[in-house]
Amino acid sequence: MILYQQLQHLKDRPLGYQTEALVQIPHEGNLYTKYDLFKERLLHSGAVTSVSQSSGSIAFQNSNVNGLEWKGMLESDRKLSFEYIQTAHDFLKTHNIKLIAGRDFEKGRASDSLGVLLNETAVKRMGLKNPISEQIILNAQKRSVVGVFQDILWDEPTKSQHPMVVAFNVGNSDYITMRLNTTRATQA
């Protein structure tokens, strides 16, 4: 009975993002130089509602970073490992990840080039009371927290939630993720 309950918990554990109508393709070849045109045409066609690019897949954890610095951190916090993904505009919107505070990365905001998003667990572990606009050091670069999002399952469902940092970096992309327009498909 206990084993069954544990398996049910793993099966039913919320991902923190919506998988329905989410499509991911490798960002390779001519898509590197033509990504903006590709995104513009997809959105204009109405086939998708949102498009984003990222250094890793939302489906599996593939990168960590440590050595972050922030005001009020303890010496032991230097060893804290954060799940890490680099992305550009519309990351939260495309994956339908719930924003708790602040905003997603937005086109036209130059300050986003040095922005980060943190998950709930990161904010708690870092002890940030008002995280929006807090400064952190990531990879020897000062960045500003622009948003806080609900925890997502980016690892094995048997593991506890880890702190996560999402950094703006349009130059490091291995995946293009699209949210299909299901409303249009049902109208056809």
Side-chain angles (χ1 to χ4, degrees), residues 39 43 48-52 90 93-95 177-180:
K39 179 177 180 174
L43 291 169
V48 301
T49 58
S50 187
V51 181
S52 68
D90 302 324
K93 176 183 175 185
T94 301
H95 294 89
T177 306
M178 299 159 276
R179 173 134 333 258
L180 300 178

Side-chain angles (χ1 to χ4, degrees), residues 3-152:
L3 180 59
Y4 174 78
Q5 289 172 336
Q6 289 174 334
L7 289 174
Q8 278 302 114
H9 170 72
L10 294 177
K11 182 179 143 290
D12 297 336
R13 187 172 176 188
L15 297 176
Y17 60 95
Q18 185 182 19
T19 59
E20 180 183 314
L22 198 62
V23 176
Q24 198 167 65
I25 62 171
H27 194 171
E28 57 190 15
N30 286 336
L31 286 175
Y32 281 113
T33 57
K34 307 242 187 235
Y35 170 77
D36 289 333
L37 179 62
F38 178 69
K39 179 177 180 174
E40 178 185 315
R41 288 193 176 166
L42 277 173
L43 291 169
H44 183 71
S45 75
V48 301
T49 58
S50 187
V51 181
S52 68
Q53 61 184 23
S54 59
S55 62
S57 171
I58 194 75
F60 55 90
Q61 192 275 340
N62 63 359
S63 183
N64 289 357
V65 65
N66 49 1
L68 270 71
E69 298 176 31
W70 61 91
K71 188 172 66 177
M73 70 181 286
L74 304 173
E75 187 60 35
S76 60
D77 290 334
R78 292 190 186 283
K79 296 178 184 177
L80 184 60
S81 181
F82 289 76
E83 293 178 340
Y84 182 52
I85 194 166
Q86 297 173 67
T87 187
H89 310 104
D90 302 324
F91 178 75
L92 299 180
K93 176 183 175 185
T94 301
H95 294 89
N96 201 14
I97 297 171
K98 183 178 179 186
L99 184 67
I100 294 171
R103 60 178 177 76
D104 197 352
F105 298 126
E106 297 172 355
K107 195 163 185 86
R109 287 202 185 229
S111 61
D112 279 357
S113 65
L114 293 174
V116 294
L117 304 166
L118 299 174
N119 72 349
E120 293 173 282
T121 298
V123 170
K124 289 175 192 165
R125 294 287 303 270
M126 295 167 78
L128 302 176
K129 301 291 182 227
N130 298 304
I132 305 305
S133 298
E134 281 286 335
Q135 299 292 306
I136 68 167
I137 306 291
L138 171 66
N139 296 329
Q141 195 170 40
K142 188 183 277 190
R143 292 178 171 260
S144 181
V145 178
V146 300
V148 177
F149 60 94
Q150 183 176 7
D151 288 340
I152 63 170

